Amino acid sequence: MVSFKSTFARLAAAVTVVSHLVGNVASVPVGEDLAIRKASATPAAPHFVAYSDEWISGENGPPATSSIKGFNTFILSFLLTSGAADQALEWTEISSSQRSTIKSQYASAGIKLLVSAFGSTDAPTSAGADPVATANTMAAWVKQYDLDGIDVDYEDFNAFDGSSGSAVTWLESFTKQLRNQLPQGQYIITHAPVAPWFEPNVWSGGGYLAIDKSVGSLIDWYNVQFYNRRFIHFLNTRTIPNAEFMLLEGSTEYTDCTSLLTTSNGQYPNSALFQIAANGVSLNKLVIGKPGNSGDADTGYIAPNTLASCVQQAKNQGWSAGVMTWEYPDAGASWIQTVRSLSWPE
């Protein structure tokens, strides 16, 4: 996920060295640390999740809780291998007292505050980043800046779509080490894969089905991107003559309730919500991700009123994971209230 309206100058910020981060974390009194972690316990589904990457003139930290009423998870994007950027960087630039006040307000409103790692501008596997060291650095950052957890928005398509399976092993190692540093029940860890990565018998290394089998128990839920596959590399297991790349036809994939929920179209078979669950992923860890408006993603947009109907259909079939959107402020309180209106009205 990426916002083309974000301030790119922020991408150059560096993460504070790990030794300094760990030192700061260790200096928190034991009783205070336990109280903070108790307040950060993982919430039960449904999860209503909004990402925030876009810089907004005049803002000073995350929005007021009234602006995101109806969401219960708000994710600051992005924490890169090179350091914090955009809304993650803005979180570091306000004072510790301001962060404490915002966290208290969010906690009172029942909203968890996370940071998202990587996004579409960061390709850690292709760049040769060590997964364990990267996890240690990012976990220390989460602790230093008193967040409730981290979202893994891995979009290293070259690595994932390639033939070596390197992305799968990288993500498994990265997730294991994140969880070592951010204990379950005290911190939230989510992943945000694109839906086709859950297809069976396509991806080298087994794709996200293999990741879920290996480390799914360490992941609290998936913010599944049912949108925004601009290009996808097709492996030899695909039968597409004379084509290495193919453009996703956004007018047909995940844009109605049928292709979103029960039967995805022919280009990405077995990647609709209930098809992913049938292939072994826990249904109620599959949060439906959608763009806030038609300009927030290349493909996959569904109008909020129609999406509300899809959500109601899924709930009536036993699903209760929730809904994610990219991104605030295009999707705020009004958007989520509409989407929830037929299933979890406030």
Side-chain angles (χ1 to χ4, degrees):
M1 289 176 273
V2 63
S3 171
F4 294 102
K5 297 173 280 189
S6 62
T7 303
F8 292 104
R10 295 181 176 214
L11 297 177
V15 174
T16 308
V17 295
V18 174
S19 60
H20 175 67
L21 297 178
V22 174
N24 283 347
V25 172
S27 67
V28 177
V30 172
E32 181 180 343
D33 184 54
L34 290 176
I36 291 171
R37 299 281 56 82
K38 183 177 180 180
S40 296
T42 304
H47 310 289
F48 299 108
V49 183
Y51 286 82
S52 177
D53 180 65
E54 182 178 339
W55 182 81
I56 301 169
S57 179
E59 73 176 359
N60 191 27
T65 57
S66 58
S67 297
I68 54 172
K69 187 176 186 295
F71 289 104
N72 53 26
T73 304
F74 195 76
I75 303 181
L76 306 172
S77 304
F78 284 103
L79 182 59
L80 308 175
T81 51
S82 60
D86 300 337
Q87 290 304 307
L89 176 60
E90 187 172 282
W91 181 245
T92 73
E93 293 176 333
I94 61 177
S95 68
S96 59
S97 62
Q98 287 174 306
R99 290 195 295 269
S100 178
T101 297
I102 291 167
K103 279 300 302 298
S104 178
Q105 292 169 344
Y106 272 51
S108 295
I111 303 171
K112 298 298 184 182
L113 192 60
L114 279 65
V115 68
S116 186
F118 309 127
S120 67
T121 63
D122 209 5
T125 307
S126 296
D130 180 84
V132 172
T134 303
N136 286 338
T137 300
M138 289 186 168
W141 192 95
V142 168
K143 292 176 180 178
Q144 182 188 18
Y145 291 105
D146 190 25
L147 293 177
D148 296 313
I150 187 168
D151 171 72
V152 182
D153 181 16
Y154 181 94
E155 299 192 27
D156 190 344
F157 291 115
N158 286 336
F160 203 99
D161 300 347
S163 60
S164 69
S166 60
V168 170
T169 56
W170 197 97
L171 279 165
E172 289 171 350
S173 295
F174 178 74
T175 302
K176 288 175 183 177
Q177 189 61 19
L178 272 184
R179 189 50 89 189
N180 284 339
Q181 298 297 317
L182 302 174
Q184 206 146 23
Q186 298 178 31
Y187 293 91
I188 299 166
I189 294 177
T190 62
H191 279 221
V194 293
W197 281 354
F198 283 106
E199 284 184 73
N201 306 315
V202 171
W203 311 105
S204 291
Y208 251 91
L209 293 180
I211 291 167
D212 180 71
K213 185 175 181 179
S214 174
V215 297
S217 63
L218 308 180
I219 299 168
D220 291 302
W221 70 83
Y222 296 104
N223 295 309
V224 185
Q225 296 184 52
F226 287 101
Y227 60 90
N228 219 26
R229 286 278 4 219
R230 275 176 272 177
F231 287 96
I232 182 169
H233 181 260
F234 288 87
L235 304 177
N236 292 331
T237 53
R238 299 268 194 193
T239 305
I240 302 178
N242 304 315
E244 182 182 5
F245 291 91
M246 180 173 286
L247 182 64
L248 171 63
E249 297 179 3
S251 62
T252 61
E253 201 73 78
Y254 316 128
T255 54
D256 57 52
C257 294
T258 297
S259 62
L260 173 65
L261 301 180
T262 59
T263 309
S264 61
N265 295 313
Q267 191 168 343
Y268 298 121
N270 293 305
S271 63
L273 176 72
F274 285 99
Q275 290 175 316
I276 295 171
N279 285 320
V281 182
S282 175
L283 177 62
N284 288 321
K285 288 174 70 172
L286 297 171
V287 172
I288 294 173
K290 280 294 177 184
N293 65 31
S294 58
D296 281 332
D298 295 319
T299 64
Y301 176 69
I302 296 181
N305 285 322
T306 303
L307 183 57
S309 176
C310 299
V311 169
Q312 181 187 41
Q313 289 180 39
K315 186 183 179 187
N316 288 343
Q317 295 178 60
W319 166 90
S320 64
V323 178
M324 169 274 279
T325 186
W326 175 269
E327 67 173 317
Y328 177 86
D330 295 332
S334 176
W335 187 93
I336 192 60
Q337 285 164 16
T338 298
V339 171
R340 291 180 57 168
S341 61
L342 300 179
S343 50
W344 290 281
E346 292 193 289

